[in-house]
């Protein structure tokens, strides 16, 4: 690309450093911002500056937070005996979105993946052990992706916590609501038959 | 979406104000930036601040520029008798990319589109008349999209300039290089036969 403006070129390069934003998209976004007559550009710039300086990770659950301890951990009405273990902050948001869960979380910050060079030491597993060690947690719900890496992570954590008096469960796998049986993959369909649940009975 | 951090929420909202970036993508980008350990976020923020404050439009051709007059207009070796009229800055970049053009440009800043409420007065057409009026320009190449709005714009400009001693041409329309005939649309294929060029003859 040939730029008539270095300022524009730098903005395009900066935007193109974001994942899934190529140089053509970055150029489109930059030109949109140049042509914008509101204070949109300043707003984005300011929001990102705040993001770089103000964001913390909750010291308890490692969720993204504005304070030392996040809103979820400090909410009074939550069941502090129940902790849902997830891979990332986005999973916390997805589960919160359902409105079905009233426990706390523990964000691992990834899953064990030797190919990507991510070992147990790179994740917040020691902090989870410390949390469980305090004896307040009754159940850990493992809400980890059902991939090989995810299963490995769940298995590793369950082994690490075998000496503690804590129940470990995993979220239910099965055919999606609204999904048609014939389009479900074989593994999911097979498992959903093996792990069938009594009709009309739902766990609290 | 439920956010555990207002800082994150504001960043997501700001990013989602960009065209083609939805809230889910914005969240992915924001979390990417939070997890980034380099100074990427600061770099983007800084580049956008510069974009908002430093960018000018060239007073001659209305291209994006760091200075009052853009690099293209000041380049010595360019043919100042030839001006290519385009819709946007992106078209200038696309034509520059070809390396086939050595004239100057004139950026209209859009095309006449009554549906979008864009009339001739909203475009840099008066400035074009002033430029042509100086008598230095020998030929205007209209490189406008071959849509109804584009053709209208070209027609309007050609009428506005009918009193001036300037040649007006349009870029060639036809079947793409590397395109297969059977996949070309009928209009393009039909026109490309009507507007056939003598074999082996190319304009300078």
């Amino acid at each position: 690309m040939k730029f008539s403006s270095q300022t524009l070129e730098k903005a395009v390069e900066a935007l193109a450093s974001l994942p899934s934003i190529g140089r053509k998209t970055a150029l489109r976004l930059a030109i949109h911002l140049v042509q914008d007559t509101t204070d949109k550009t300043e707003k984005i710039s300011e929001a990102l500056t705040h993001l770089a300086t103000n964001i913390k990770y909750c010291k308890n659950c490692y969720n993204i937070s504005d304070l030392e301890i996040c809103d979820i951990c400090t909410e009074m009405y939550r069941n502090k005996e129940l902790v849902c273990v997830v891979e990332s902050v986005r999973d916390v948001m997805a589960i919160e979105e359902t409105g079905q869960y009233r426990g706390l979380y523990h964000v691992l910050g990834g899953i064990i993946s030797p190919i990507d060079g991510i070992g147990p030491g790179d994740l917040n597993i020691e902090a989870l052990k410390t949390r469980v060690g305090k004896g307040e947690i009754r159940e850990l719900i493992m809400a980890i992706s059902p991939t090989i890496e995810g299963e490995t992570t769940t298995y590793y954590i369950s082994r690490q916590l075998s000496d503690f008096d804590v129940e470990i469960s995993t979220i239910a796998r099965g055919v999606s609501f609204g999904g048609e049986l014939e389009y479900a993959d074989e593994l999911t369909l097979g498992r959903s038959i093996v792990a069938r649940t009594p009709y009309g009975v739902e766990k609290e």
Side-chain angles (χ1 to χ4, degrees), chain A:
Chain A
M1 274 186 216
K2 289 187 183 177
F3 289 90
S4 59
S5 154
Q6 285 205 338
T7 311
L8 181 66
E9 185 169 8
K10 278 193 184 154
V12 169
E13 270 168 19
L15 289 170
S17 72
L18 289 167
S20 80
I21 308 277
R23 280 173 68 85
K24 284 215 168 179
T25 306
L27 176 63
R28 202 160 42 76
L29 297 180
I31 288 180
H32 169 86
L33 289 176
V34 168
Q35 289 170 346
D36 181 72
T37 50
T38 67
D39 59 348
K40 195 190 272 189
T41 314
E42 287 91 337
K43 269 193 185 157
I44 296 174
S45 173
E46 204 181 303
L48 294 186
T49 306
H50 283 169
L51 198 65
T53 50
N54 294 359
I55 278 281
K56 296 180 183 67
Y57 289 100
C58 170
K59 287 199 169 171
N60 192 40
C61 74
Y62 295 88
N63 188 11
I64 284 180
S65 171
D66 290 337
L67 305 163
E68 298 280 284
I69 301 292
C70 77
D71 290 355
I72 294 174
C73 284
T74 49
E75 248 169 15
M76 287 299 291
Y77 70 86
R78 286 189 180 255
N79 179 353
K80 291 179 172 55
E81 294 183 328
L82 207 56
V83 170
C84 183
V85 180
V86 295
E87 192 182 324
S88 84
V89 176
R90 280 197 278 167
D91 300 329
V92 173
M93 291 179 67
I95 295 170
E96 283 296 288
E97 206 72 18
T98 68
Q100 301 281 312
Y101 180 68
R102 294 151 169 247
L104 304 181
Y105 294 90
H106 192 86
V107 180
L108 293 176
I111 46 176
I112 297 171
S113 172
I115 290 176
D116 302 315
I118 303 172
D122 300 314
L123 309 177
N124 303 319
I125 293 176
E126 274 307 309
L128 179 62
K129 275 176 80 174
T130 312
R131 275 182 87 178
V132 172
K134 288 178 186 164
E136 277 181 19
I137 299 167
R138 194 176 48 80
E139 181 178 350
L140 286 187
I141 304 172
M142 305 298 295
I144 310 284
S145 303
T147 57
I148 293 175
E149 290 86 2
E151 300 289 358
T152 306
T153 308
T154 300
Y155 179 73
Y156 179 86
I157 291 174
S158 71
R159 288 297 297 268
Q160 289 285 309
L161 298 174
S162 56
D163 292 342
F164 294 96
D165 181 27
V166 65
E167 224 176 285
I168 298 181
S169 59
T170 64
I171 54 169
R173 314 278 179 212
V175 178
S176 302
F177 284 97
E180 299 207 29
L181 272 203
E182 57 178 317
Y183 299 124
D185 66 289
E186 289 163 27
L187 188 64
T188 303
L189 191 54
R191 290 264 184 105
S192 77
I193 291 168
V194 173
R196 64 196 176 276
T197 51
Y199 186 70
V201 178
E202 265 191 13
K203 268 194 192 167
E204 177 59 23

